[in-house]
Amino acid sequence: MTANNTKLQPEVLEAVVIRFVGDSGDGMQLTGTQFSDTSAMFGNDIATFPNYPAEIRAPQGSLYGVSGFQVHIGSVEVSTPGDNVDLLVAMNPAALKTNLRALKLGHTLIVDTDSFNKKNLEKAEYSTNPLENGSLDNYRVLLVDMTSLTKEALKDVSGLDVKTISRSKNMFALGMIYWMYNRSKEHTIDFFNKTFKSKPHLIEANTKVLNAGYFYAETLELIPNSYTISPAKLPAGTYRIIMGNTATAWGFLAAAEKTGLELFLGSYPITPATDILHELVKHKHFGVKAFQAEDEIAGITSAIGAAFAGDLAITTTSGPGLALKGEAIGLAIMVELPLVIVDVQRGGPSTGLPTKTEQSDLLQAMYGRNGESPLIVIAASTPANCFNFAYEASRLAIEHMTPVILLTDGYIANGSAPWKIKTVSEMPAIKNNRIFEVKDNWHPYDRDQITLARNWAIPGTPGLEHRIGGLEKDAVTGNISYDPLNHEEMTKIRAEKIERVKFNIPNQEVEFAQEGDLLVIGWGGTYGSLHSAVKQINQEGYTSIGLAHFNYINPLPKNTEEILSRFKKIVVCELNSGQFASILKIKFSQFDYLKFNKIQGLPYANDDLIQKFKELV
């Protein structure tokens, strides 16, 4: 190896997609997060996609134990984590085999050659070594003895065992990437100092390995110069990188602060929703009461009790847990209490694909309860706007005195993006239906004449005592009633109350073409993929294609029918078998709905969407 003594100016790129892959214990999530955070501090627009196995610790070197983290950074708008990657870092043969197809031909592959031994090759089901058989000739391959170089860098650091030394190789890879993309190491070194402040030997070890990787890349002849991606032109403001689950938790904190209510979370841990519980537990100083229940039913019923007592009440789950909560959701509908149920969707049915994304809980959210039991259903669409829709779910629940299901999914819950920090004063007002004193002829089911929301009387308030429970209520007194006509009246009132929510939500917007040949419809976490694809195809000259991406599912925005009538064809894209298309067909049967579905536990690929849209027009 000859030292590269000529310092060239970095080549300027608009955007780059990088994927780090290795075993679950190789620290790929940490490596990707550090690179993302550093790039965000530089000012790039960012989208990330963690992809990890369901097993807590899958067998080392196995194909199903590969963990990955993909990051897309740019000086231009970044809507998705990207499809095909510009740089793949593979820490072992299994990681290479399961991810090589995503690497663009002619682009860079970095591998840890130390891991390509006979045992690991067999686990990855390679009959010959791909580093030697010519199968990688169409890529620029950087063969790095990463494990050996890490051990060499740490030979003088005391207090480290063999396992810790080996696991530090992810920082060697990160150091190389920092040099290649002209990134500063300082943010990550600060991270070491804060994380390991009580273990100085770990600070020293990680810093040494990071520097070793950085300077190693600088001397490689195969990397003639580094690259740089200029800061993106984002709207003025203060930003931070935020994950969808964190944004969801913070949205609830903002709603509690805005309303002056205490926040109660009753939940049972379940992938991929658990991080909302983890985040809210950190904020007891804001008056958060977080209860880790013994099961899903206890989680939601404790939240119903908190709502009865006057709290902003939340419960979080994923698809299997939503099924278990069904009866209790019906109770909350019957007693007409504000409650937010967050469903972070994953692949199903049953245990399904716990760490993979899907949109297959929509019909369960709409109809998965006994009896006539309508409620509000809304969906977040990006990691950052999980904040907005957690806040919005709280607003709608309180203003309309009803449960609200907020749908997110594993893709946006675990993904991250820049979020413009908001103050509570910037958030819309929330009208509170609480009453504090007895009025003449008061009844617990007295209603607002516009929204039909009943008043919110808190236990212990003299004169406001009233009965709650799952049995049907008298329309006036709230007492138990088996009267047939009363039951029909109450059923219609509960349905009409949800229908009137359409007057308290925004009209549906259409991006790109406002009328024309094709309307692309999506909902929830597919927004980034659909926006990116429709934007690109419009730039290619297909200017009669519009995008309507829905966040409000039940009720639908009041201008939905008018939008549908403007386009010759409608295609509904969703990560299920066509659930939203079915809902639209029920509501607006006069239109034909084409469907483009994907059920692989993965988001849409940009190229697949573009090809489909071109076929349709």
Side-chain angles (χ1 to χ4, degrees):
M1 181 176 66
T2 304
N4 177 17
N5 296 318
T6 305
K7 177 65 175 176
L8 301 176
Q9 288 299 312
E11 180 183 343
V12 178
L13 304 175
E14 271 196 348
V16 67
V17 180
I18 302 171
R19 185 182 294 182
F20 302 90
V21 283
D23 269 327
S24 294
D26 283 338
M28 296 295 93
Q29 307 300 321
L30 174 62
T31 307
T33 299
Q34 284 299 307
F35 184 81
S36 302
D37 290 350
T38 297
S39 297
M41 293 181 69
F42 184 72
N44 298 131
D45 199 2
I46 288 179
T48 71
F49 179 46
N51 191 2
Y52 47 90
E55 289 76 15
I56 293 174
R57 182 70 77 228
Q60 192 172 11
S62 63
L63 291 170
Y64 62 89
V66 174
S67 176
F69 190 102
Q70 183 163 310
V71 55
H72 185 185
I73 65 173
S75 59
V76 293
E77 179 189 38
V78 170
S79 301
T80 74
D83 295 339
N84 296 326
V85 301
D86 301 291
L87 171 65
L88 177 65
V89 180
M91 305 300 278
N92 63 18
L96 177 64
K97 186 161 193 175
T98 53
N99 289 273
L100 182 62
R101 63 182 178 272
L103 181 61
K104 297 174 185 175
L105 293 177
H107 284 249
T108 304
L109 167 67
I110 299 176
V111 296
D112 177 15
T113 55
D114 289 326
S115 68
F116 281 72
N117 53 45
K118 182 180 178 181
K119 182 179 179 182
N120 284 340
L121 289 168
E122 288 175 353
K123 286 183 179 179
E125 300 177 9
Y126 277 117
S127 56
T128 59
N129 191 336
L131 306 185
E132 301 170 352
N133 63 15
S135 61
L136 304 178
D137 288 350
N138 291 325
Y139 306 96
R140 184 172 69 163
V141 184
L142 303 184
L143 304 176
V144 184
D145 303 329
M146 213 174 293
T147 304
S148 299
L149 291 167
T150 298
K151 291 177 180 177
E152 177 66 22
L154 298 179
K155 64 182 181 180
D156 296 326
V157 181
S158 59
L160 300 176
D161 56 39
V162 174
K163 192 174 184 180
T164 301
I165 292 172
S166 179
R167 283 187 172 179
S168 300
K169 64 184 178 183
N170 64 324
M171 289 299 109
F172 192 97
L174 182 60
M176 289 186 66
I177 308 307
Y178 277 165
W179 185 86
M180 290 176 66
Y181 291 97
N182 210 33
R183 308 279 100 163
S184 169
K185 299 173 289 179
E186 295 311 309
H187 170 76
T188 297
I189 293 172
D190 287 344
F191 170 80
F192 297 154
N193 288 325
K194 291 175 183 175
T195 304
F196 305 120
K197 59 184 177 182
S198 62
K199 299 177 180 178
H201 63 291
L202 293 182
I203 297 174
E204 181 186 3
N206 281 284
T207 303
K208 276 195 167 186
V209 176
L210 184 73
N211 286 326
Y214 187 92
F215 295 124
Y216 178 83
E218 190 176 34
T219 62
L220 273 182
E221 283 187 330
L222 289 174
I223 311 177
N225 65 306
S226 62
Y227 306 95
T228 189
I229 298 94
S230 300
K233 293 184 172 111
L234 298 171
T238 303
Y239 288 81
R240 64 154 287 160
I241 287 291
I242 197 166
M243 291 179 62
N245 275 338
T246 303
T248 301
W250 289 10
F252 290 134
L253 290 171
E257 184 70 17
K258 190 76 171 184
T259 57
L261 302 177
E262 291 189 344
L263 176 61
F264 178 90
L265 173 69
S267 283
Y268 181 74
I270 183 171
T271 301
T274 308
D275 282 342
I276 302 173
L277 171 62
H278 290 166
E279 182 62 29
L280 285 174
V281 164
K282 300 175 186 176
H283 299 287
K284 293 180 181 179
H285 54 286
F286 285 132
V288 174
K289 294 172 285 188
F291 169 53
Q292 180 175 319
E294 64 269 27
D295 56 39
E296 295 281 3
I297 298 170
I300 187 171
T301 51
S302 66
I304 292 172
F308 183 51
D311 285 357
L312 172 56
I314 315 294
T315 188
T316 56
T317 191
S318 189
L322 186 64
L324 291 168
K325 293 179 189 292
E327 183 182 0
I329 294 173
L331 171 62
I333 291 171
M334 176 62 79
V335 298
E336 299 186 47
L337 284 170
L339 172 70
V340 179
I341 305 106
V342 182
D343 175 14
V344 186
Q345 299 168 96
R346 70 192 208 187
S350 187
T351 311
L353 304 174
T355 62
K356 310 300 180 185
T357 195
E358 207 162 271
Q359 292 184 297
S360 52
D361 293 347
L362 180 57
L363 292 182
Q364 181 182 200
M366 288 284 291
Y367 308 117
R369 297 165 295 282
N370 67 298
E372 298 283 346
S373 50
L375 46 61
I376 299 170
V377 180
I378 65 175
S381 50
T382 70
N385 78 18
C386 285
F387 176 92
N388 300 61
F389 285 100
Y391 186 94
E392 178 72 342
S394 305
R395 181 185 75 85
L396 293 174
I398 291 170
E399 291 188 355
H400 295 271
M401 292 294 290
T402 181
V404 175
I405 293 181
L406 169 61
L407 297 171
T408 72
D409 58 59
Y411 177 50
I412 60 173
N414 292 317
S416 58
W419 173 63
K420 185 179 178 182
I421 296 174
K422 298 183 178 182
T423 63
V424 173
S425 62
E426 295 177 81
M427 305 303 293
I430 297 177
K431 178 187 174 184
N432 197 324
N433 290 286
R434 284 182 61 172
I435 57 174
F436 297 92
E437 57 186 27
V438 181
K439 299 179 181 179
D440 293 338
N441 299 316
W442 174 79
H443 302 102
Y445 281 76
D446 291 339
R447 298 182 183 278
D448 182 286
Q449 294 305 301
I450 296 175
T451 65
L452 296 182
R454 80 172 182 93
N455 52 54
W456 194 6
I458 307 305
T461 306
L464 297 182
E465 298 86 355
H466 60 286
R467 183 189 300 268
I468 67 165
L471 294 172
E472 183 62 277
K473 304 289 177 288
D474 180 84
V476 177
T477 65
N479 293 332
I480 295 171
S481 172
Y482 296 106
D483 180 76
L485 294 179
N486 177 79
H487 173 57
E488 184 168 350
E489 179 186 359
M490 288 296 282
T491 299
K492 290 178 178 178
I493 287 173
R494 288 188 289 264
E496 177 63 20
K497 181 172 74 165
I498 301 305
E499 185 64 21
R500 291 190 185 187
V501 173
K502 67 185 179 184
F503 300 109
N504 195 18
I505 60 176
N507 278 345
Q508 179 62 40
E509 295 183 355
V510 179
E511 295 184 76
F512 308 105
Q514 297 300 303
E515 58 182 356
D517 293 327
L518 179 65
L519 177 64
V520 176
I521 287 180
W523 67 275
T526 58
Y527 173 75
S529 301
L530 297 179
H531 172 85
S532 178
V534 176
K535 179 181 179 181
Q536 182 175 332
I537 201 171
N538 268 264
Q539 291 171 344
E540 292 178 9
Y542 293 81
T543 56
S544 62
I545 300 178
L547 170 64
H549 201 85
F550 285 78
N551 297 107
Y552 298 90
I553 309 296
N554 193 43
L556 290 163
K558 58 184 179 294
N559 65 330
T560 300
E561 183 176 9
E562 186 271 329
I563 288 173
L564 299 176
S565 68
R566 297 187 214 152
F567 292 84
K568 296 175 184 176
K569 291 182 179 179
I570 300 167
V571 59
V572 184
C573 304
E574 43 188 332
L575 302 180
N576 57 47
S577 296
Q579 297 185 18
F580 189 48
S582 299
I583 292 170
L584 290 172
K585 190 67 176 176
I586 291 170
K587 300 284 187 180
F588 308 107
S589 59
Q590 69 270 38
F591 302 106
D592 291 325
Y593 302 96
L594 303 169
K595 297 188 290 186
F596 185 49
N597 305 111
K598 182 174 182 178
I599 320 169
Q600 301 173 15
L602 295 169
Y604 281 112
N606 203 54
D607 291 346
D608 293 342
L609 290 169
I610 290 173
Q611 180 181 344
K612 182 66 176 181
F613 300 156
K614 287 181 177 179
E615 289 174 4
L616 292 176
V617 296

